[in-house]
Amino acid sequence: MRELLLRSTSDGPQYRSLADALRQALETGQVRPGDLLPSTRELAASWGVHRHTVMTALDELVAEGWLVAERGRGYRVVGELPTAFTRVAPISDKSSETYQWVVSAPPLDAKPRPSLRWSFPSGQPDLRLFPKDEYFAEVRTVLRTVSPDMLLGYQAPGGCDEIVEALALYLRRVRGVTGGEVVVTHGSQEAIYLLARLLVKPGQTVCVEALGYPPALAALRTAGAKLVGVPIDSEGLRTDVLETALARERVALIYLTPLHQYPTTVTMSMARRADLYRLAQKYDVPILEDDYDHEFHYRSRPVPPLKSRDPDGRIAYVSTFSKILYPAARLGFAVVPPGVAEPLRAMKRIVSRQNDTVTERAVAAWLSHGGLERHLRRMRRVYAHRLSVMADALEAAHVPFTRPDGGMSLWVDFGVPSVQLSQAAAALDVHIQDSRFYRVDGKDSTSVRIGFASSTPEEIAAGVDRLVRASVKSAARR
């Protein structure tokens, strides 16, 4: 045993080297179950270390279950070694390979965006124009005036009182949403995920737009939902097709983006909205409304949310500040009936416990001081101009699209399969997402979603020119 211990070459503290050497001897059978070890003095002498170092190493092995300390006799190897850590003979050539974890990954393309010169992300605000000094002055005020216990300790999972009250007032005044309770979340994505887990049981059917928001569709699928895609036309969700689906099978939920449909940007007509609610009442189905960029509407005031006319209290309404603040703020919210609010807060406590109180209080203060709405007025002017620049460039190139009333992107038909277009565009240093990303059925089409909000007019003109050239090259190869 003395020779064995002298061969230990483990890095780190001496006691750990001794423990590792003896553990290796136990694992390989050179020291057997039931053996009494030499005294700590003998081990210290053979190892050339202090006796306390030996005792520390042996006590570590006792804690791990390899040894027992016997009063008056010393340390003895246990009669049965810990089987979970005992080395066994290889049973195949693959026994030395890294363990392969078996996981159920959500069906979402999470690949990083390639680093190309031009990119048109579909929901990215222009962070260069965010009033950092004004906003972070609110953050500094919060840090200076609010007690550490309130900022840094555990708080209510559904948001602090200040942000809940500020949001409720803002929603009543700006969006006409008055019913329900506000629950603050880590972006609208967490709200959608939590509501999917609460409202949908595995195997149940959820009706969604046939072209939709991929992270939301992934959240619904992760909850076990079977998705049924309903077509979109120039008035939004086809309620006639929806009724066929509702009549055919029991549907647990309807999820949609009625203001600026994602990805087509179509605004759902008032007639379709009324028909949707009638069908939800007839078939007793709740609605999950995603109003992700409400404030960016340019031709007129935006159509009020479905939630603003919800006499039955059957609509759960989600939205986000990622588009009007900055994505990293992770500030979203849900407005839900009282019977859903408490289970939603309880579910959030399990998943993420609470939100960042500093951000909540800073945004609440910025809202109450009018700073957020001043910022939104500026950005509406900027984005409306950028929409016109992109639309004019596409019209000049005779590329078909429908000019939307609002939003941050255009849905453009370049006339060639989007997979081919995205590959040709990448060769010209432009990144676009192909249309398979948005489709419930995963099929390709000739339309793509290109964002204008995060690009300057000069960047838009140069990028669109390259996209047009890429479409011409793709068409020539067909």
Side-chain angles (χ1 to χ4, degrees):
M1 186 178 296
R2 179 180 302 138
E3 293 177 356
L4 171 69
L5 296 178
L6 286 173
R7 287 200 295 270
S8 175
T9 58
S10 299
D11 295 330
Q14 288 179 316
Y15 81 88
R16 189 170 297 162
S17 295
L18 176 57
D20 288 346
L22 185 51
R23 190 184 296 108
Q24 183 178 6
L26 291 163
E27 290 175 336
T28 57
Q30 292 172 277
V31 178
R32 298 181 179 278
D35 283 354
L36 183 67
L37 299 186
S39 70
T40 55
R41 294 184 188 278
E42 290 180 82
L43 290 174
S46 65
W47 190 253
V49 297
H50 195 279
R51 180 167 172 254
H52 288 303
T53 301
V54 174
M55 294 176 69
T56 300
L58 297 179
D59 286 342
E60 182 170 296
L61 295 176
V62 170
E64 293 178 5
W66 297 99
L67 304 177
V68 291
E70 297 180 351
R71 182 181 296 273
R73 302 198 67 186
Y75 292 85
R76 186 182 297 277
V77 180
V78 296
E80 184 175 349
L81 298 180
T83 56
F85 298 97
T86 304
R87 292 183 180 176
V88 297
I91 58 175
S92 73
D93 293 337
K94 294 184 178 181
S95 62
S96 61
E97 294 181 1
T98 302
Y99 176 73
Q100 298 298 308
W101 292 89
V102 178
V103 299
S104 178
L108 175 65
D109 182 0
K111 296 178 182 177
R113 184 177 297 141
S115 300
L116 301 178
R117 172 66 181 83
W118 286 272
S119 180
F120 297 113
S122 65
Q124 171 79 37
D126 192 338
L127 301 178
R128 296 168 292 192
L129 302 180
F130 183 73
K132 297 182 289 295
D133 294 341
E134 179 183 342
Y135 172 73
F136 285 110
E138 300 284 7
V139 174
R140 288 192 292 273
T141 299
V142 168
L143 292 172
R144 188 173 62 252
T145 59
V146 182
S147 71
D149 285 347
M150 294 298 295
L151 287 183
L152 307 180
Y154 288 116
Q155 301 297 328
C160 66
D161 291 342
E162 288 77 7
I163 189 63
V164 170
E165 292 170 5
L167 280 173
L169 177 61
Y170 178 80
L171 291 171
R172 284 197 303 270
R173 187 169 52 81
V174 176
R175 302 190 187 182
V177 175
T178 56
E181 297 185 23
V182 175
V183 178
V184 183
T185 57
H186 285 291
S188 60
Q189 182 62 25
E190 183 183 55
I192 293 168
Y193 172 76
L194 295 177
L195 286 167
R197 295 299 301 270
L198 286 174
L199 303 176
V200 181
K201 295 179 181 178
Q204 288 188 316
T205 296
V206 174
C207 286
V208 300
E209 296 150 323
L211 288 158
Y213 180 53
L217 302 182
L220 291 164
R221 286 186 173 119
T222 301
K226 181 183 73 171
L227 302 187
V228 173
V230 180
I232 302 294
D233 65 13
S234 61
E235 293 188 60
L237 188 78
R238 288 270 307 274
T239 50
D240 58 331
V241 179
L242 174 64
E243 183 163 21
T244 300
L246 293 172
R248 185 174 58 245
E249 59 183 309
R250 176 63 182 167
V251 172
L253 182 68
I254 301 168
Y255 166 81
L256 75 166
T257 53
L259 180 59
H260 304 137
Q261 198 279 325
Y262 198 106
T264 67
T265 73
V266 170
T267 296
M268 193 176 192
S269 69
M270 295 304 295
R272 291 276 179 87
R273 289 166 182 248
D275 203 31
L276 170 68
Y277 204 89
R278 177 187 65 80
L279 292 173
Q281 288 178 317
K282 178 180 178 180
Y283 292 95
D284 194 23
V285 183
I287 297 170
L288 178 53
E289 177 183 12
D290 187 353
D291 193 10
Y292 62 94
D293 63 354
H294 182 92
E295 282 72 17
F296 297 135
H297 207 76
Y298 313 117
R299 289 186 180 177
S300 61
R301 289 181 60 85
V303 178
L306 295 170
K307 183 64 179 174
S308 67
R309 296 176 176 85
D310 182 22
D312 287 358
R314 69 174 58 248
I315 298 176
Y317 177 80
V318 299
S319 189
T320 179
F321 274 34
S322 295
K323 310 295 187 292
I324 57 181
L325 285 174
Y326 52 92
R330 303 315 307 142
L331 188 64
F333 55 91
V335 182
V336 295
V340 178
E342 194 52 42
L344 179 58
R345 286 189 282 262
M347 179 69 79
K348 177 173 171 55
R349 184 186 292 273
I350 294 170
V351 172
S352 60
R353 183 52 180 83
Q354 68 183 72
N355 307 299
D356 175 46
T357 309
V358 175
T359 299
E360 288 185 342
R361 285 178 173 266
V363 171
W366 204 32
L367 264 171
S368 64
H369 298 155
L372 176 61
E373 291 187 64
R374 288 192 298 272
H375 171 57
L376 288 173
R377 286 194 292 272
R378 290 191 297 266
M379 299 315 297
R380 271 194 293 269
R381 291 193 295 270
V382 170
Y383 292 166
H385 175 61
R386 292 179 179 183
L387 186 159
S388 294
V389 170
M390 180 172 280
D392 291 347
L394 292 167
E395 287 174 352
H398 306 290
V399 178
F401 71 99
T402 299
R403 188 186 292 246
D405 294 330
M408 304 169 74
S409 303
L410 298 180
W411 185 245
V412 183
D413 186 354
F414 280 96
V416 295
S418 70
V419 173
Q420 293 182 22
L421 178 63
S422 65
Q423 293 169 349
L428 295 176
D429 216 14
V430 181
H431 171 68
I432 57 169
Q433 181 68 60
D434 70 72
S435 64
R436 296 176 303 176
F437 186 61
Y438 310 105
R439 294 177 62 96
V440 173
D441 61 14
K443 296 179 181 179
D444 196 7
S445 74
T446 58
S447 295
V448 294
R449 181 176 167 96
I450 53 177
F452 54 78
S454 61
S455 303
T456 66
E458 295 75 19
E459 291 166 341
I460 290 170
V464 168
D465 176 68
R466 282 162 174 76
L467 281 177
V468 172
R469 286 158 49 193
S471 68
V472 172
K473 288 184 179 179
S474 296
R477 294 195 191 103
R478 297 178 68 185

